[in-house]
Amino acid sequence: MAGGDHSAKLTTHVLDTASGKPAAGLSITLYRVSGNSHRKLKTVTTNADGRCDAPLLEGKEFKTGQYELIFSAGDYFRANGTPIPDPAFLDEVPIRFGMAEMSHYHVPLLISPYGYSTYRGS
């Protein structure tokens, strides 16, 4: 299905549940997934609120299908001085999800060095 619905967009945010603060400066890479193929669409970094400055997909860029977000949690924790083992228990956190309709999809991540959670937000 082609894009074009102005309300259709993909957004995310990251909360560092170990510190109770937004995860500022965390790198996120977005891929479109088709079978065994991953096509990198973009890499962004979270702002001071743990959010991206713009939607990851919107307008003509938004298409239904399967996607994957890779959150660079290990790099984030190391940069912030959070004690983590080497290798990190959680280094890159992948979240694969499908977008079946032209709508707003919000995929937040709650992260700590030893666990994470996600859900479809609004």
Side-chain angles (χ1 to χ4, degrees), residues 17 21 27 37 42 44 46 58 72-73 79 83 91 93 113:
T17 56
K21 297 178 182 174
S27 178
S37 168
K42 64 178 64 174
V44 298
T46 57
E58 68 179 332
S72 297
D91 194 13
V93 176

Side-chain angles (χ1 to χ4, degrees), residues 18 22 25 50 67 86 96 105 112 115-116 122:
Y67 292 84
D86 184 18
R96 186 175 294 186
Y105 285 81
S112 78
Y116 68 93
S122 57

Side-chain angles (χ1 to χ4, degrees), residues 1-66:
M1 179 185 284
D5 184 332
H6 295 293
S7 65
K9 62 184 172 182
L10 171 62
T11 57
T12 188
H13 78 270
V14 186
L15 178 65
D16 179 344
T17 56
S19 70
K21 297 178 182 174
L26 191 145
S27 178
I28 305 166
T29 303
L30 172 66
Y31 294 88
R32 181 162 172 89
V33 179
S34 180
N36 291 327
S37 168
H38 280 63
R39 184 168 57 94
K40 181 178 172 181
L41 300 179
K42 64 178 64 174
T43 299
V44 298
T45 302
T46 57
N47 62 24
D49 287 330
R51 298 179 182 275
C52 302
D53 289 329
L56 295 169
L57 295 173
E58 68 179 332
K60 293 178 184 175
E61 292 182 324
F62 187 100
K63 295 177 176 59
T64 58
Q66 197 166 41

